[in-house]
Amino acid sequence: MSKRVGSVSLAEMTATVGRADKFEERRRELADAALQTLSELGYARTSLREIAQHTSFSHGVLHYYFRDKVELITYCVRRYKSVCVQRYDEVVAAARTGEELSAGFAEAMAGTLVADARMHRLWYDLRSQSLFEPAFRDDVREIDAILEDMITRVVGRYAELVDGVPALPFTAAYACFDGLFQQALLRHLSGVEPAPARLHDDVERLLALVTN
Amino acid sequence: MSKRVGSVSLAEMTATVGRADKFEERRRELADAALQTLSELGYARTSLREIAQHTSFSHGVLHYYFRDKVELITYCVRRYKSVCVQRYDEVVAAARTGEELSAGFAEAMAGTLVADARMHRLWYDLRSQSLFEPAFRDDVREIDAILEDMITRVVGRYAELVDGVPALPFTAAYACFDGLFQQALLRHLSGVEPAPARLHDDVERLLALVTN
DNA sequence: GACAATTCTTGACACTCGTCCAGAACTCCT
DNA sequence: AGGAGTTCTGGACGAGTGTCAAGAATTGTC
């Protein structure tokens, strides 16, 4: 029983690539189960046994693939980022006019608000955890940076299309859109129904505002 | 041993007012200790025993004054709100010009960002918890409403002073300022030093933007 | 098919948690 | 001073936690 060192064993280095990736593949599988559990229960109420119950494995495996709980959750946070910034860039690329971009962007936000509500609440939960747990900070900041870049592209492109100039630093613009989204999520999960529509409106208004 | 029913016993009803309030007074005392603990450790890591250690009492007493943990924390959240909206109204009342109001408001925000950082991170933590725990939702929404009102007064008064008209619904304006503040808190607790100064700038810019 | 390396299961460990309760300590009134 | 009502203590309970390790099951290789 030779324990793995790092994430690569001697056997893997000489074996085929597909074989070598099996370890990483299972890590992803387990992390996805963890993400599902986390998004249902939140960080404070999620246990390793609960995560394992969302898989076909027993709770012991988690410690075979992850050193401890923090590494697992950190891995999850990193993985999360790859899911979250996809829809928007298509919108940016497709838009030919400012109005198109504005409408498409607002619709994308309102759409993900209801479609991925549980994932988003997990994000806000983990970001809050990072205020207390330094171990999460770097990953959280990295994701925040990715989201900020996304907003930067949207706002920048919109400014181009309408011949305006950004009226706020991009980081501040991101903070505003994020605040809008978070309030909308709060309302949506509380059952206040016009949440998506209101978000749609507010996003369009704010986008027009931050470029003049 | 006659257990208290609700929060008023027979003895209290006939006793003096000071005597009657002793129960409530101790509740506040315990809740303050709980708030301190929560703001240090965060919701996920705060236990009743830990809270009791911040007081001169033993852990059993918490169940004498609060039915269970949820009631204690709910009480804490309610109590928190009374602390958080005081500085700003003075600023609004004192300002004679738009510039004065803008500068005062921005300074107040930057000030509380560093002075009450731990309390603010608790607020964001609890608000995130409410995304998972319906028991917290009403209180969280109430506090959010109070904060929104505060922003409304600031933005409204500023619009008056500069003869502008609000360019965003007040609820959206609140969401934006809140987003700004949350990002600043994240940076501040991560040790990025210009956090307060940047918040100050961004707040002034945003305030000018949402009234035109 | 046998051997070795891996992946996975199972049960145990040492804690910590919220909750409860018997009774000690205290307070207040007559 | 004594007794009733109150506040508080400290220990116990059962459930749940992260972690670990011994060994069973599986897989890949010759």
Side-chain angles (χ1 to χ4, degrees), chain A residues 23-38:
Chain A
F23 189 78
E24 200 54 32
E25 195 178 318
R26 173 102 338 144
R27 269 167 79 95
R28 275 200 299 271
E29 185 184 348
L30 293 173
D32 283 342
L35 275 173
Q36 192 193 330
T37 312
L38 283 164

Side-chain angles (χ1 to χ4, degrees), chain B residues 81-92 150 153:
Chain B
K81 86 175 173 212
S82 60
V83 184
C84 60
V85 202
Q86 282 162 347
R87 242 176 301 252
Y88 297 101
D89 284 330
E90 304 167 13
V91 175
V92 173
M150 181 269 289
R153 284 192 295 272

Side-chain angles (χ1 to χ4, degrees), chain A residues 133-192:
Chain A
E133 181 73 67
F136 296 160
R137 263 174 214 168
D138 288 346
D139 289 298
V140 161
R141 190 157 39 196
E142 193 186 327
I143 297 181
D144 249 338
I146 291 175
L147 295 171
E148 185 182 314
D149 282 353
M150 182 269 289
I151 291 292
T152 297
R153 286 191 294 274
V154 172
V155 174
R157 178 70 179 134
Y158 182 79
E160 268 181 37
L161 287 172
V162 303
D163 269 326
V165 355
L168 267 188
F170 287 123
T171 123
Y174 164 59
C176 291
F177 282 109
D178 186 64
L180 240 37
F181 193 82
Q182 202 171 345
Q183 284 291 324
L185 184 61
L186 221 39
R187 281 193 299 268
H188 175 57
L189 290 173
S190 294
V192 184

Side-chain angles (χ1 to χ4, degrees), chain A residues 2 4 26 49 58-59 61 64-65:
Chain A
S2 72
R4 276 180 189 262
R26 173 102 338 144
R49 283 170 175 82
S58 73
H59 67 271
V61 208
Y64 183 75
Y65 288 97

Side-chain angles (χ1 to χ4, degrees), chain B:
Chain B
M1 189 192 301
S2 74
K3 201 64 195 297
R4 278 182 188 260
V5 183
S7 63
V8 180
S9 76
L10 204 81
E12 275 170 31
M13 296 188 60
T14 58
T16 72
V17 192
R19 173 83 181 66
D21 282 323
K22 255 198 131 184
F23 190 79
E24 200 55 32
E25 195 179 317
R26 173 100 341 138
R27 269 169 80 97
R28 274 201 299 271
E29 185 184 349
L30 293 173
D32 283 341
L35 275 173
Q36 192 194 330
T37 312
L38 283 164
S39 70
E40 275 171 20
L41 304 179
Y43 174 81
R45 282 162 291 278
T46 296
S47 70
L48 296 182
R49 283 172 175 81
E50 187 71 35
I51 292 173
Q53 273 187 335
H54 281 74
T55 75
S56 53
F57 305 104
S58 78
H59 67 271
V61 98
L62 290 169
H63 278 87
Y64 182 75
Y65 289 97
F66 299 94
R67 191 170 0 98
D68 56 18
K69 197 186 182 184
V70 170
E71 190 191 297
L72 166 59
I73 295 198
T74 299
Y75 186 92
C76 287
V77 179
R78 283 215 183 84
R79 184 154 173 65
Y80 169 85
K81 86 175 173 212
S82 60
V83 184
C84 60
V85 202
Q86 282 162 347
R87 242 176 301 252
Y88 297 101
D89 284 330
E90 304 167 13
V91 175
V92 173
R96 292 265 154 259
T97 72
E99 281 177 24
E100 244 181 79
L101 177 52
S102 177
F105 177 54
E107 199 168 309
M109 285 203 102
T112 191
L113 173 72
V114 326
D116 312 312
R118 291 199 315 202
M119 222 41 170
H120 291 301
R121 78 175 168 183
L122 172 60
W123 161 241
Y124 290 119
D125 187 9
L126 291 176
R127 194 167 69 176
S128 295
Q129 293 311 313
S130 83
L131 294 173
F132 296 92
E133 181 71 67
F136 295 160
R137 262 174 214 168
D138 288 345
D139 288 299
V140 162
R141 187 154 42 194
E142 193 185 325
I143 296 181
D144 249 338
I146 291 175
L147 294 170
E148 185 182 315
D149 282 353
M150 181 269 289
I151 292 292
T152 297
R153 284 192 295 272
V154 172
V155 174
R157 177 69 179 138
Y158 182 79
E160 267 181 36
L161 288 171
V162 301
D163 270 326
V165 358
L168 268 187
F170 287 122
T171 124
Y174 164 59
C176 291
F177 282 108
D178 186 64
L180 240 38
F181 192 83
Q182 201 170 345
Q183 286 289 325
L185 183 62
L186 222 38
R187 280 193 300 268
H188 175 58
L189 290 174
S190 293
V192 184
E193 216 15 78
R198 205 150 107 191
L199 177 60
H200 189 286
D201 280 12
D202 289 342
V203 164
E204 286 204 305
R205 251 190 280 258
L206 180 59
L207 188 56
L209 218 57
V210 296
T211 61
N212 54 15

Side-chain angles (χ1 to χ4, degrees), chain A residues 194-208:
Chain A
R198 206 151 108 187
L199 177 61
H200 189 286
D201 280 12
D202 289 342
V203 164
E204 287 205 303
R205 250 190 280 254
L206 180 60
L207 187 56

